[in-house]
Amino acid sequence: SAVISQKPSRDICQRGTSLTIQCQVDSQVTMMFWYRQQPGQSLTLIATANQGSEATYESGFVIDKFPISRPNLTFSTLTVSNMSPEDSSIYLCSVVRGRSADTQYFGPGTRLTVL
Amino acid sequence: KNEVEQSPQNLTAQEGEFITINCSYSVGISALHWLQQHPGGGIVSLFMLSSGKKKHGRLIATINIQEKHSSLHITASHPRDSAVYICAVPMYSGGGADGLTFGKGTHLIIQP
């Protein structure tokens, strides 16, 4: 298994500000993903965090709004920029160890409220 | 890109009942995931399966690759099983560790 921690676990922010969420894994992993879950909605993939290069974003998500870093094989950050109330969501980091469709392990999530 | 349909959306049952949650997807996959989400938002992976059937305690997951369908069963349900159960598949067909696309989830409430 993989032990994943996320910081912060929750935050309340003012619109127009930015928040950086950290994801730390206890061992090296192959893939790291960032998901968003808006209230009452299903989880949606924001991007794949690539180690040492730019993240791969899904349709509807852009780097200017959600810049992502992954400086090594155990750590990644997601920034939610210029926040609005529509960004109020749970943000989840997940990881995969292998190259095949291995079990994905999920972090505990960051609950963000934007006022 | 894969699409996932889950049913039912909501399910309330009495303690001890046998529970079935269904999941269908649109594109052939290498593996399907069943996840459990608690009210606080935390997600736990229950099963990852690519064929046949898996059992863990009172939980049983089955998959029919040809039919593109999977079921999650809970035997002798208990109030602590109350949670949202989510089916997820790789976003794109083929192998490799893809990001997942998720069903909308089944809100399960087990009443004592």
Side-chain angles (χ1 to χ4, degrees):
Chain A
S1 64
V3 178
I4 305 169
S5 61
Q6 278 186 238
K7 290 181 182 178
S9 58
R10 58 178 61 225
D11 208 341
I12 301 173
C13 301
Q14 297 297 318
R15 69 172 68 209
T17 63
S18 298
L19 177 72
T20 295
I21 302 167
Q22 298 180 0
C23 176
Q24 178 73 56
V25 193
D26 65 338
S27 57
Q28 292 184 352
V29 294
T30 311
M31 311 289 288
M32 295 183 80
F33 303 99
W34 285 98
Y35 294 93
R36 179 178 74 178
Q37 186 176 35
Q38 294 177 298
Q41 302 297 311
S42 57
L43 282 147
T44 301
L45 180 65
I46 297 172
T48 303
N50 299 309
Q51 194 258 328
S53 64
E54 192 171 288
T56 305
Y57 289 84
E58 296 301 314
S59 176
F61 297 97
V62 295
I63 188 171
D64 290 345
K65 176 67 176 177
F66 297 101
I68 289 170
S69 78
R70 189 183 170 191
N72 56 51
L73 294 176
T74 63
F75 184 79
S76 177
T77 67
L78 166 75
T79 298
V80 186
S81 302
N82 189 24
M83 288 184 285
S84 67
E86 292 71 36
D87 294 319
S88 298
S89 298
I90 297 174
Y91 292 87
L92 283 146
C93 166
S94 84
V95 304
V96 172
R97 277 234 167 79
R99 289 282 175 197
S100 61
D102 289 343
T103 298
Q104 288 206 10
Y105 301 96
F106 288 85
T110 296
R111 186 179 291 272
L112 171 61
T113 301
V114 184
L115 303 177
Chain B
K1 193 169 172 180
N2 227 327
E3 294 182 358
V4 180
E5 293 285 337
Q6 259 187 262
S7 63
Q9 195 170 343
N10 296 286
L11 179 57
T12 300
Q14 296 297 312
E15 184 173 357
E17 286 189 38
F18 181 81
I19 303 298
T20 296
I21 300 169
N22 295 301
C23 174
S24 297
Y25 52 92
S26 59
V27 177
I29 57 170
S30 51
L32 177 144
H33 302 257
W34 280 104
L35 310 164
Q36 182 189 54
Q37 185 172 31
H38 288 280
I43 290 183
V44 174
S45 179
L46 298 175
F47 294 102
M48 186 198 69
L49 64 164
S50 54
S51 66
K53 176 175 158 178
K54 282 190 176 180
K55 184 174 189 290
H56 185 255
R58 294 180 294 103
L59 300 177
I60 303 166
T62 63
I63 189 168
N64 183 321
I65 295 293
Q66 288 72 32
E67 297 289 325
K68 297 188 179 64
H69 180 270
S70 176
S71 294
L72 177 69
H73 306 284
I74 305 175
T75 62
S77 59
H78 190 276
R80 64 174 174 266
D81 297 325
S82 299
V84 177
Y85 292 84
I86 304 170
C87 167
V89 297
M91 288 188 76
Y92 306 101
S93 64
D98 287 326
L100 300 177
T101 188
F102 296 79
K104 292 188 186 297
T106 296
H107 286 250
L108 175 65
I109 297 173
I110 303 297
Q111 295 178 335

